[in-house]
């Protein structure tokens, strides 16, 4: 049960970071545009299935967040769920 809780926590934190970053990108989109440049966020995946994991195993997965826009992406506030 502890492993399932750890996996749930990791996925929740990754998803929360993604949504918080998305909200920051939307806030930037509402700001005045200078020279037509905007930040744009992409994420490698919204979820990840670890499949069957042996009890006691240590697992991790990275969620890559990238700015593919032309301006600086600022993530100013992240609140874990």
């Amino acid at each position: 049960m502890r492993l399932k809780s750890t996996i749930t926590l990791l996925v929740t934190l990754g998803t929360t970071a993604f949504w918080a970053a998305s909200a920051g990108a939307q806030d930037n989109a509402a700001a005045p545009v200078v020279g037509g440049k905007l930040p744009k966020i992409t994420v490698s995946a919204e979820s990840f299935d670890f499949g069957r994991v042996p009890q006691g195993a240590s697992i991790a997965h990275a969620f890559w967040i990238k700015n593919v826009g032309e301006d600086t992406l600022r993530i100013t506030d992240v609140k874990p769920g």
Side-chain angles (χ1 to χ4, degrees):
M1 186 67 173
R2 186 174 181 208
L3 180 61
K4 185 176 179 180
S5 297
T6 302
I7 292 170
T8 302
L9 176 64
L10 289 173
V11 170
T12 301
L13 289 174
T15 303
T16 302
F18 167 72
W19 290 114
S22 294
Q26 290 171 356
D27 289 344
N28 287 339
V33 178
V34 178
K37 295 181 180 181
L38 289 175
K40 184 176 180 183
I41 192 168
T42 61
V43 65
S44 59
E46 292 183 28
S47 64
F48 181 80
D49 182 5
F50 285 96
R52 295 180 60 96
V53 178
Q55 184 174 355
S58 178
I59 58 175
H61 180 74
F63 289 88
W64 293 96
I65 297 173
K66 183 177 180 181
N67 178 17
V68 295
E70 297 177 350
D71 201 1
T72 303
L73 175 66
R74 292 179 180 87
I75 302 172
T76 58
D77 190 20
V78 177
K79 296 178 183 175

